[in-house]
Each structure stands twice: as C-alpha cells, then as structure tokens.
Amino acid sequence: MGAASHTGRVRRLNEDAYLARRHLALVADGMGGHACGDVASAFAVEALALIADREQLRPEDVQEAIERANATILDASREPGRSGMGTTLSGVALVDFGGSPHWLVFNIGDSRVYRIAGGTASRLTVDHSEVAELVALGKISEEDAHHHPLRHVITRALGSDPAPVADVWIFPLAPAGDLFVACSDGLTNELDDTRIAAIVEAARGPRDAAAMLVEAAVEAGGHDNVTAVVVSAPPTTDDDLEVATTPKEHVR
C-alpha cells in the first residue's frame, strides 16, 4: 500500500487528508473555499482510523464510523470561524460479508475510487457534484465538465445536516489480486482515466504508483491539492502499512 499528497501549485494549504492501513484506505478532501477544510478532512480520517486496526471489519462498522465523522464535523462547525466546513470521503475497506472477505467501496462527494486491471482504470464511485449530474443527464460532456463553472459545486459532503448517505458497493476479492486507487479530485481534474491506469501499471509498486500519480498531476497543472492512495491486495508484509491524518509533502 502506498500514499502521497501535495498542496499543488496554486493552493497555500493542503486540505486533503488520507488513511492507509491494511484493511482500510481512504481520501478526504476538505471543502475548498470553505472555512477549515483541513480540519474537516482530518476529523473524517480520525473517525475512520478508530476502526482501522480491528481484526475484522463489517460493512456496518464503516457506515457507523462515517456517521460519527459527520456528527463530529457538524458539531465543530458550530464553533466561531468554522461555519460551513465540510469534506468529501472516498475509500475501500476489506470487510467480512456473508462469512467471507469482500471489498467495500464507499463514497461521499467527488473524490473517487478506481479499480486498475488489464490496463484500464474503472471508476467504482459516482461523483456527487452538479457537473456529474449534468453529464448523467446528457446535458454536457465529460470534457465540458472539466471547465464548467459549476465544477466545484458538491451535492453531498460530510458536515451536512441531515447527515449525507454514503454510496456503498461490495465486491468479492479477485483470485489474482486487486489494485485500487483512492484519490481527491485534484488528481482526476489533471489526469484522465487512461493516464491514471498507465501510471499505476508502469510503477514498481503501490508506493511508487502513488508518488508517480501525484507528481504527474502537479506537473500537469497542480491547480488543487492532490492526494492518492494505492491499494495492492493481498498485502504482503507489515512494511506495506502506512497511516497519516495530516499528509506530508511526498512530492516536491
């Protein structure tokens, strides 16, 4: 497992946060332009980190942790100077489902999770944004979405009342192993799905892949914070484990 994050070339503060553990990997993107986005994303990661070391996770464990994260952010947003803060949240967890291990993919907002296989990056999540809805309705193209004036408007985020409902998908483990990328929109706004797949498959491993993805997005423009967590399963040794709630600059 590997993770990398960068403030980018435009932002002064990195509002992204991530968690990368053996059974749980996620990215949270604090709401850009809102108060204390970095605080909101850190709260989200900290809430999920509380369940990350359990021997066995259940789907309901992840959902309950997401609910606690929303409540924490909502309570904190009532403090002076923190009104309106929020964050996206997307990730993948290894859970027990029906008595056997499965992947649980979850999403709130426009951070994404991809599965990489056969040279293709398949999106496993659906963006909760104004432009995604316009694309789904056929009113604009995917290319138009990158430049649309509503591209930064999120329709679902943690820190909301009533609490947002996370999209959840459950998949069986692939016999040959699985390769996932969880990332903030700072990555997908700079790199298309084809480029993401090519970079991951050319990398020497998940840590190299995460660093290469972030570096490529920064070089392509770096208009926003960029974060990527790459999960290669099954994991091999404890050396593959990594955790952070306050991302460091892995790419210069």
Side-chain angles (χ1 to χ4, degrees):
M1 188 177 296
S5 188
H6 196 284
T7 303
R9 295 182 172 180
V10 176
R11 307 286 188 183
R12 295 184 177 181
L13 177 68
N14 193 342
E15 295 183 303
D16 289 356
Y18 63 81
L19 179 74
R21 299 266 184 97
R22 183 183 296 276
H23 296 143
L24 183 60
L26 59 91
V27 170
D29 181 357
M31 300 294 284
H34 288 68
C36 298
D38 59 321
V39 176
S41 62
F43 276 143
V45 170
E46 289 167 5
L48 273 295
L50 293 175
I51 65 170
D53 291 327
R54 294 182 183 177
E55 287 295 324
Q56 191 173 71
L57 282 177
R58 304 169 301 162
E60 52 265 40
D61 294 331
V62 178
Q63 292 175 319
E64 289 169 2
I66 292 173
E67 292 171 2
R68 287 195 297 272
N70 186 75
T72 299
I73 295 168
L74 199 58
D75 286 345
S77 70
R78 298 188 177 98
E79 299 176 13
R82 290 182 171 180
S83 176
M85 72 178 184
T87 184
T88 68
L89 182 71
S90 288
V92 57
L94 187 62
V95 300
D96 177 78
F97 181 73
S100 64
H102 282 68
W103 292 112
L104 182 144
V105 172
F106 53 93
N107 179 57
I108 296 175
D110 63 352
S111 295
R112 294 178 181 172
V113 176
Y114 290 88
R115 172 180 266 164
I116 311 296
T120 301
S122 302
R123 297 186 201 179
L124 301 182
T125 54
V126 176
D127 293 351
H128 302 138
S129 67
E130 290 282 1
V131 293
E133 293 179 4
L134 292 174
V135 170
L137 292 171
K139 294 186 176 181
I140 63 173
S141 67
E142 284 275 1
E143 181 61 29
D144 292 336
H146 288 293
H147 310 286
H148 198 279
L150 297 178
R151 64 187 180 278
H152 298 303
V153 179
I154 306 302
T155 57
R156 205 183 304 182
L158 289 175
S160 303
D161 187 15
V165 177
D167 287 345
V168 174
W169 300 264
I170 296 179
F171 304 94
L173 277 61
D178 293 286
L179 189 57
F180 299 100
V181 175
C183 59
S184 61
D185 69 335
L187 182 81
T188 55
N189 287 339
E190 304 291 356
L191 307 178
D192 62 23
D193 296 359
T194 300
R195 182 86 188 281
I196 290 171
I199 290 172
V200 173
E201 296 214 326
R204 295 186 299 272
R207 290 184 178 179
D208 189 43
M212 289 172 63
L213 284 169
V214 171
E215 182 176 22
V218 173
E219 290 180 350
H223 295 92
D224 199 354
N225 308 148
V226 186
T227 301
V229 178
V230 179
V231 179
S232 179
T236 54
T237 69
D238 288 342
D239 291 338
D240 293 325
L241 306 185
E242 184 172 351
V243 61
T245 56
T246 304
K248 297 181 180 180
E249 301 287 349
H250 292 280
V251 181
R252 299 297 179 185

